[in-house]
Amino acid sequence: MAGPRPVVLSGPSGAGKSTLLKNLLKEYEGVFGFSVSHTTRSPRPGEENGKDYHYVTREYMQASINKGEFIESAVFSGNMYGTSKASVQAVKDKNLICILDIDMQGVRAVKTTDLNPIYVSIQPPSMNILEKRLRDRNTESEESLQKRLDAAQVDMEISKEPGIFDIVIVNDNLDDAYGKLKDALIEEIKKVQKNNLSS
Ligand SMILES: Nc1ncnc2c1ncn2[C@@H]1O[C@H](COP(=O)(O)OP(=O)(O)OP(=O)(O)O)[C@@H](O)[C@H]1O
Ligand SMILES: Nc1nc2c(ncn2[C@@H]2O[C@H](COP(=O)(O)O)[C@@H](O)[C@H]2O)c(=O)[nH]1
């Protein structure tokens, strides 16, 4: 079978992308696979190298980009992030739905490739709620938090433009948002489940 379409999850930092994708990976084991990005930011407590990100130096990341090893890369809140070709291929090789958690720069770059994903934007109910979620997560310095909120303003505006995302989900109540995400992906989920049964 032709492989399932990947899924791009984008939206402001703190909108709930990781929370939602972790739910998908847990509920649909053997259906979704996460594209592990590279980043130059430091790991947060509880994050694992190779699982949440590949944590690398700027020098390593830039050299890898120069060698053409990345589908896309971006600078976000002062750190480099990028999707390597190998990370996406590793998920595709298993015939899983590849989930990419990337920022708006990444979305624009992926649109110039032949990846053909389903584009999903996860949005917070408001800037105030986003700020509270980011502060309560307790992962950012004040400087990083402000940079993320500035980027969020732009992201929230762009997500309203028609044609960029297939679906925009406002993550107010988590269960409702998760239900909408599953609904948006149900055709691809069924294809993989059917393929798993017949193989
Ligand atoms: N619907 C919700 N209601 C309340 N809190 C939520 C909801 N969804 C997520 N959160 C919380 O908000 C915080 C930010 O969520 P999460 O880390 O998933 O965001 P993110 O979009 O992945 O951020 P980043 O892009 O920075 O990785 C987390 O502490 C999470 O537990
Ligand atoms: N363009 C890309 N953006 C990415 C990638 N991996 C993550 N991200 C985005 O970065 C911000 C911040 O993430 P955090 O883990 O430091 O909170 C968030 O918006 C992610 O979606 C990537 O490979 N390319």
Side-chain angles (χ1 to χ4, degrees), residues 10-22 41 44 47 53 76 81 101 122 125 129-130 132-134 136-140 148 170-175 177:
S10 195
S13 169
K17 302 177 297 294
S18 315
T19 306
L20 289 162
L21 80 82
K22 279 178 185 156
R41 82 153 163 76
R44 295 174 185 146
E47 288 186 339
Y53 281 106
F76 182 89
Y81 295 83
D101 175 347
I122 306 298
I129 291 176
L130 182 72
K132 181 173 182 338
R133 284 183 190 169
L134 270 179
D136 289 351
R137 194 173 71 178
N138 219 7
T139 52
E140 308 310 315
R148 283 164 189 257
V170 177
N171 177 20
D172 189 352
N173 175 283
L174 184 59
D175 290 341

Side-chain angles (χ1 to χ4, degrees), residues 6-45:
V7 175
V8 161
L9 280 192
S10 195
S13 169
K17 302 177 297 294
S18 315
T19 306
L20 289 162
L21 80 82
K22 279 178 185 156
N23 284 356
L24 282 178
L25 291 167
K26 196 169 162 202
E27 180 173 350
Y28 295 101
E29 220 190 313
V31 173
F32 289 96
F34 181 51
S35 159
V36 181
S37 292
H38 285 60
T39 184
T40 61
R41 82 153 163 76
S42 304
R44 295 174 185 146

